[in-house]
Coordinates of all heavy atoms in Angstrom, one line a residue:
H128 N 67.5 -84.8 -26.0 CA 68.9 -84.7 -26.5 C 69.3 -83.2 -27.0 O 70.3 -83.1 -27.6 CB 69.1 -85.6 -27.7 CG 68.7 -87.0 -27.4 ND1 69.4 -87.7 -26.4 CD2 67.8 -87.8 -28.0 CE1 68.8 -89.0 -26.4 NE2 67.9 -89.1 -27.3
D129 N 68.4 -82.2 -26.6 CA 68.7 -80.9 -27.0 C 69.0 -80.7 -28.5 O 69.8 -79.9 -28.9 CB 70.0 -80.3 -26.3 CG 69.7 -79.9 -24.9 OD1 68.5 -79.7 -24.5 OD2 70.6 -79.7 -24.1
S130 N 68.2 -81.5 -29.3 CA 68.4 -81.4 -30.7 C 67.3 -80.6 -31.4 O 66.3 -81.1 -31.9 CB 68.5 -82.8 -31.3 OG 67.3 -83.5 -31.1
V131 N 67.5 -79.3 -31.4 CA 66.5 -78.4 -32.0 C 67.2 -77.7 -33.2 O 68.2 -77.0 -33.0 CB 66.0 -77.3 -31.0 CG1 64.9 -76.5 -31.6 CG2 65.4 -78.0 -29.8
S132 N 66.6 -77.9 -34.4 CA 67.3 -77.4 -35.5 C 66.8 -76.1 -36.0 O 67.5 -75.1 -36.2 CB 67.2 -78.4 -36.7 OG 65.9 -78.8 -36.9
S133 N 65.5 -76.0 -36.3 CA 64.9 -74.8 -36.9 C 64.6 -73.7 -35.8 O 64.4 -74.0 -34.6 CB 63.6 -75.1 -37.6 OG 62.5 -75.3 -36.7
E134 N 64.5 -72.5 -36.2 CA 64.2 -71.3 -35.3 C 62.8 -71.5 -34.8 O 62.6 -71.1 -33.6 CB 64.4 -70.0 -36.1 CG 65.8 -69.7 -36.4 CD 66.0 -68.3 -37.0 OE1 66.0 -67.3 -36.3 OE2 66.0 -68.2 -38.3
L135 N 61.9 -71.9 -35.6 CA 60.5 -72.1 -35.1 C 60.4 -73.2 -34.0 O 59.7 -73.0 -33.0 CB 59.5 -72.3 -36.2 CG 58.1 -72.3 -35.9 CD1 57.7 -70.9 -35.3 CD2 57.2 -72.6 -37.1
M136 N 61.1 -74.3 -34.2 CA 61.2 -75.3 -33.2 C 61.8 -74.8 -31.9 O 61.4 -75.1 -30.8 CB 61.9 -76.5 -33.7 CG 61.2 -77.4 -34.7 SD 59.9 -78.4 -33.9 CE 60.8 -79.7 -33.2
Q137 N 62.9 -74.0 -32.1 CA 63.5 -73.4 -30.9 C 62.5 -72.5 -30.2 O 62.5 -72.5 -28.9 CB 64.8 -72.6 -31.3 CG 65.5 -72.0 -30.2 CD 66.8 -71.3 -30.6 OE1 67.1 -71.3 -31.8 NE2 67.4 -70.7 -29.7
F138 N 61.7 -71.8 -30.9 CA 60.7 -70.9 -30.3 C 59.7 -71.7 -29.4 O 59.4 -71.4 -28.3 CB 60.0 -70.1 -31.4 CG 58.9 -69.2 -30.9 CD1 59.3 -68.0 -30.3 CD2 57.6 -69.5 -30.9 CE1 58.4 -67.1 -29.9 CE2 56.6 -68.6 -30.5 CZ 57.0 -67.4 -29.9
V139 N 59.2 -72.8 -30.0 CA 58.3 -73.7 -29.2 C 59.0 -74.4 -28.1 O 58.4 -74.5 -27.0 CB 57.6 -74.7 -30.2 CG1 56.7 -75.6 -29.4 CG2 56.9 -74.1 -31.3
Y140 N 60.2 -74.8 -28.3 CA 61.0 -75.3 -27.2 C 61.1 -74.3 -26.1 O 61.0 -74.7 -24.9 CB 62.4 -75.6 -27.9 CG 63.5 -76.2 -27.0 CD1 63.7 -77.6 -27.1 CD2 64.4 -75.5 -26.3 CE1 64.7 -78.2 -26.4 CE2 65.5 -76.1 -25.6 CZ 65.6 -77.4 -25.7 OH 66.7 -78.0 -25.0
G141 N 61.3 -73.1 -26.4 CA 61.3 -72.0 -25.4 C 60.0 -71.9 -24.6 O 60.0 -71.6 -23.4
I142 N 58.9 -71.9 -25.4 CA 57.6 -71.9 -24.7 C 57.4 -73.0 -23.7 O 57.0 -72.7 -22.6 CB 56.5 -72.0 -25.8 CG1 56.4 -70.7 -26.6 CG2 55.1 -72.3 -25.1 CD1 55.4 -70.7 -27.7
L143 N 57.8 -74.2 -24.1 CA 57.8 -75.3 -23.1 C 58.6 -75.1 -21.9 O 58.2 -75.3 -20.8 CB 58.2 -76.6 -23.9 CG 58.2 -77.9 -23.0 CD1 56.8 -78.2 -22.6 CD2 58.8 -79.0 -23.9
A144 N 59.8 -74.6 -22.1 CA 60.8 -74.4 -21.0 C 60.3 -73.4 -20.0 O 60.6 -73.4 -18.8 CB 62.1 -74.0 -21.6
E145 N 59.5 -72.4 -20.5 CA 59.1 -71.3 -19.6 C 57.9 -71.7 -18.8 O 57.6 -71.0 -17.8 CB 58.7 -70.1 -20.5 CG 59.8 -69.4 -21.2 CD 59.3 -68.4 -22.3 OE1 58.1 -68.3 -22.4 OE2 60.2 -67.8 -22.9
L146 N 57.2 -72.8 -19.1 CA 56.0 -73.1 -18.4 C 56.3 -73.6 -17.0 O 57.1 -74.5 -16.7 CB 55.3 -74.3 -19.1 CG 54.6 -74.0 -20.4 CD1 53.9 -75.3 -20.9 CD2 53.6 -72.8 -20.4
P147 N 55.6 -73.0 -16.0 CA 55.7 -73.5 -14.6 C 55.2 -75.0 -14.5 O 55.7 -75.7 -13.7 CB 54.8 -72.6 -13.8 CG 53.9 -71.9 -14.8 CD 54.7 -71.8 -16.1
E148 N 54.3 -75.4 -15.4 CA 53.8 -76.8 -15.4 C 54.9 -77.7 -15.8 O 55.0 -78.8 -15.3 CB 52.6 -76.9 -16.3 CG 51.4 -76.3 -15.9 CD 51.3 -74.8 -16.2 OE1 52.3 -74.3 -16.8 OE2 50.3 -74.2 -15.9
F149 N 55.8 -77.3 -16.7 CA 56.9 -78.1 -17.2 C 58.0 -78.2 -16.1 O 58.5 -79.2 -15.8 CB 57.5 -77.5 -18.4 CG 58.7 -78.3 -19.0 CD1 58.5 -79.5 -19.6 CD2 60.0 -77.8 -18.8 CE1 59.6 -80.3 -20.0 CE2 61.1 -78.5 -19.3 CZ 60.9 -79.7 -19.9
E150 N 58.2 -77.1 -15.4 CA 59.2 -77.1 -14.3 C 58.7 -78.0 -13.2 O 59.5 -78.8 -12.6 CB 59.4 -75.7 -13.8 CG 60.4 -75.6 -12.6 CD 60.6 -74.2 -12.1 OE1 60.1 -73.2 -12.8 OE2 61.2 -74.0 -11.1
A151 N 57.4 -78.0 -12.9 CA 56.8 -78.8 -11.9 C 57.0 -80.3 -12.3 O 57.3 -81.2 -11.4 CB 55.4 -78.5 -11.6
R152 N 56.8 -80.6 -13.5 CA 57.0 -82.0 -14.0 C 58.4 -82.4 -13.9 O 58.7 -83.6 -13.5 CB 56.5 -82.1 -15.5 CG 55.1 -81.8 -15.8 CD 54.1 -82.9 -15.4 NE 54.0 -83.1 -14.0 CZ 53.3 -82.3 -13.2 NH1 52.7 -81.2 -13.7 NH2 53.2 -82.5 -11.9
C153 N 59.3 -81.5 -14.2 CA 60.8 -81.9 -14.1 C 61.2 -82.2 -12.7 O 61.9 -83.1 -12.4 CB 61.6 -80.8 -14.7 SG 61.6 -80.7 -16.5
R154 N 60.7 -81.4 -11.8 CA 61.0 -81.6 -10.4 C 60.4 -82.9 -9.8 O 61.0 -83.5 -9.0 CB 60.5 -80.4 -9.5 CG 61.2 -79.1 -9.9 CD 60.9 -78.0 -8.9 NE 61.5 -76.7 -9.3 CZ 62.7 -76.4 -9.1 NH1 63.5 -77.2 -8.5 NH2 63.2 -75.2 -9.5
A155 N 59.2 -83.2 -10.3 CA 58.6 -84.4 -9.8 C 59.2 -85.7 -10.4 O 59.2 -86.7 -9.8 CB 57.1 -84.4 -10.1
G156 N 59.7 -85.5 -11.6 CA 60.2 -86.7 -12.4 C 59.6 -86.8 -13.7 O 58.4 -87.1 -13.8
L157 N 60.3 -86.4 -14.8 CA 59.7 -86.3 -16.1 C 60.4 -87.3 -17.1 O 61.6 -87.3 -17.1 CB 59.7 -84.9 -16.7 CG 59.1 -84.7 -18.1 CD1 57.6 -85.0 -18.1 CD2 59.4 -83.3 -18.6
Y158 N 59.6 -88.0 -17.8 CA 60.2 -88.9 -18.8 C 59.5 -88.6 -20.1 O 58.4 -88.1 -20.2 CB 59.9 -90.4 -18.5 CG 60.5 -90.9 -17.2 CD1 59.9 -90.5 -15.9 CD2 61.6 -91.6 -17.1 CE1 60.4 -91.0 -14.7 CE2 62.2 -92.0 -15.9 CZ 61.6 -91.7 -14.7 OH 62.1 -92.1 -13.6
V159 N 60.2 -88.8 -21.2 CA 59.7 -88.6 -22.5 C 59.9 -89.8 -23.4 O 60.8 -90.5 -23.2 CB 60.3 -87.3 -23.2 CG1 60.0 -86.1 -22.5 CG2 61.8 -87.5 -23.4
G160 N 59.0 -90.0 -24.3 CA 59.1 -91.2 -25.2 C 58.4 -91.0 -26.5 O 57.6 -90.0 -26.7
H161 N 58.6 -91.9 -27.4 CA 58.0 -91.8 -28.8 C 57.0 -92.9 -28.9 O 57.3 -94.1 -28.8 CB 59.1 -92.0 -29.8 CG 58.6 -91.9 -31.2 ND1 59.1 -92.7 -32.2 CD2 57.6 -91.3 -31.8 CE1 58.5 -92.5 -33.4 NE2 57.5 -91.6 -33.1
A162 N 55.7 -92.5 -29.2 CA 54.6 -93.4 -29.4 C 54.1 -93.2 -30.8 O 53.5 -92.1 -31.1 CB 53.5 -93.3 -28.4
Y163 N 54.4 -94.0 -31.8 CA 54.2 -93.7 -33.2 C 53.0 -94.4 -33.7 O 52.6 -95.5 -33.2 CB 55.4 -94.2 -34.0 CG 55.7 -95.6 -33.8 CD1 55.2 -96.6 -34.7 CD2 56.5 -96.1 -32.8 CE1 55.4 -97.9 -34.5 CE2 56.8 -97.5 -32.6 CZ 56.3 -98.4 -33.5 OH 56.5 -99.7 -33.4
G164 N 52.4 -93.8 -34.7 CA 51.3 -94.4 -35.5 C 50.3 -95.2 -34.7 O 49.5 -94.7 -33.9
E165 N 50.3 -96.5 -35.0 CA 49.2 -97.4 -34.4 C 49.4 -97.5 -32.9 O 48.5 -98.0 -32.2 CB 49.3 -98.7 -35.1 CG 48.8 -98.7 -36.5 CD 48.9 -100.1 -37.2 OE1 49.7 -100.9 -36.7 OE2 48.2 -100.3 -38.2
G166 N 50.6 -97.2 -32.4 CA 50.8 -97.2 -31.0 C 50.3 -96.0 -30.2 O 50.4 -95.9 -29.0
N167 N 49.6 -95.1 -30.9 CA 49.1 -93.9 -30.3 C 47.7 -93.6 -30.7 O 47.3 -92.6 -31.2 CB 50.0 -92.7 -30.7 CG 49.8 -91.5 -29.8 OD1 49.3 -91.6 -28.7 ND2 50.3 -90.3 -30.3
P168 N 46.8 -94.6 -30.5 CA 45.4 -94.6 -31.1 C 44.5 -93.5 -30.5 O 43.7 -92.9 -31.2 CB 44.9 -96.0 -30.9 CG 45.6 -96.5 -29.7 CD 47.0 -95.9 -29.8
M169 N 44.7 -93.3 -29.2 CA 43.7 -92.4 -28.5 C 44.0 -91.0 -28.9 O 43.1 -90.2 -29.2 CB 43.8 -92.6 -27.0 CG 43.8 -94.1 -26.6 SD 42.4 -95.1 -27.2 CE 41.3 -95.1 -25.8
A170 N 45.3 -90.6 -28.8 CA 45.6 -89.2 -29.1 C 45.4 -88.9 -30.6 O 45.0 -87.8 -31.0 CB 47.1 -88.9 -28.7
D171 N 45.6 -90.0 -31.4 CA 45.4 -89.8 -32.9 C 43.9 -89.5 -33.1 O 43.6 -88.6 -33.9 CB 45.8 -91.1 -33.6 CG 45.6 -91.0 -35.1 OD1 46.4 -90.4 -35.8 OD2 44.6 -91.6 -35.5
A172 N 43.0 -90.3 -32.5 CA 41.6 -90.0 -32.7 C 41.2 -88.6 -32.2 O 40.4 -87.9 -32.9 CB 40.8 -91.1 -31.9
A173 N 41.8 -88.2 -31.1 CA 41.4 -86.8 -30.6 C 41.9 -85.8 -31.5 O 41.2 -84.8 -31.8 CB 42.0 -86.6 -29.2
S174 N 43.1 -85.9 -32.1 CA 43.7 -84.9 -33.0 C 42.9 -84.8 -34.3 O 43.0 -83.8 -35.0 CB 45.2 -85.2 -33.2 OG 45.3 -86.3 -34.0
R175 N 42.3 -85.9 -34.7 CA 41.5 -85.9 -36.0 C 40.0 -85.6 -35.8 O 39.3 -85.7 -36.7 CB 41.7 -87.3 -36.6 CG 43.1 -87.6 -37.0 CD 43.3 -88.9 -37.7 NE 44.7 -89.1 -38.0 CZ 45.3 -88.6 -39.1 NH1 44.7 -87.9 -39.9 NH2 46.6 -88.8 -39.3
G176 N 39.6 -85.3 -34.6 CA 38.2 -85.0 -34.3 C 37.3 -86.2 -34.4 O 36.1 -86.1 -34.5
N177 N 37.9 -87.4 -34.3 CA 37.1 -88.7 -34.4 C 36.7 -89.1 -33.0 O 37.1 -90.1 -32.5 CB 38.0 -89.8 -35.1 CG 37.1 -90.9 -35.6 OD1 35.9 -91.0 -35.2 ND2 37.7 -91.6 -36.5
F178 N 35.8 -88.3 -32.4 CA 35.4 -88.5 -31.0 C 34.5 -89.7 -30.8 O 34.5 -90.3 -29.8 CB 34.8 -87.2 -30.5 CG 35.6 -86.0 -30.6 CD1 35.2 -84.9 -31.2 CD2 36.9 -86.0 -30.1 CE1 35.9 -83.7 -31.4 CE2 37.7 -84.9 -30.2 CZ 37.2 -83.7 -30.9
A179 N 33.8 -90.0 -31.9 CA 32.9 -91.2 -31.8 C 33.8 -92.5 -31.7 O 33.5 -93.4 -30.9 CB 32.0 -91.3 -33.1
L180 N 34.9 -92.5 -32.5 CA 35.8 -93.7 -32.4 C 36.5 -93.7 -31.0 O 36.6 -94.8 -30.4 CB 36.8 -93.6 -33.5 CG 38.0 -94.6 -33.4 CD1 37.4 -96.0 -33.6 CD2 39.0 -94.3 -34.5
L181 N 36.9 -92.5 -30.6 CA 37.6 -92.5 -29.3 C 36.6 -93.0 -28.2 O 37.0 -93.8 -27.3 CB 38.0 -91.0 -29.0 CG 38.7 -90.8 -27.7 CD1 40.0 -91.7 -27.5 CD2 39.1 -89.3 -27.5
S182 N 35.4 -92.5 -28.2 CA 34.4 -93.0 -27.2 C 34.2 -94.5 -27.3 O 34.1 -95.2 -26.3 CB 33.1 -92.2 -27.4 OG 32.1 -92.6 -26.5

Side-chain angles (χ1 to χ4, degrees):
H128 305 301
D129 279 346
S130 60
V131 182
S132 55
S133 75
E134 289 183 84
L135 191 58
M136 284 288 284
Q137 183 180 355
F138 181 77
V139 178
Y140 183 94
I142 287 177
L143 179 64
E145 294 169 356
L146 289 183
E148 291 85 357
F149 179 73
E150 181 177 350
R152 297 283 71 74
C153 286
R154 294 188 185 281
L157 180 65
Y158 299 80
V159 295
H161 178 215
Y163 58 91
E165 292 177 337
N167 200 15
M169 316 304 262
D171 179 79
S174 70
R175 296 181 182 279
N177 200 341
F178 305 125
L180 173 62
L181 180 58
S182 178

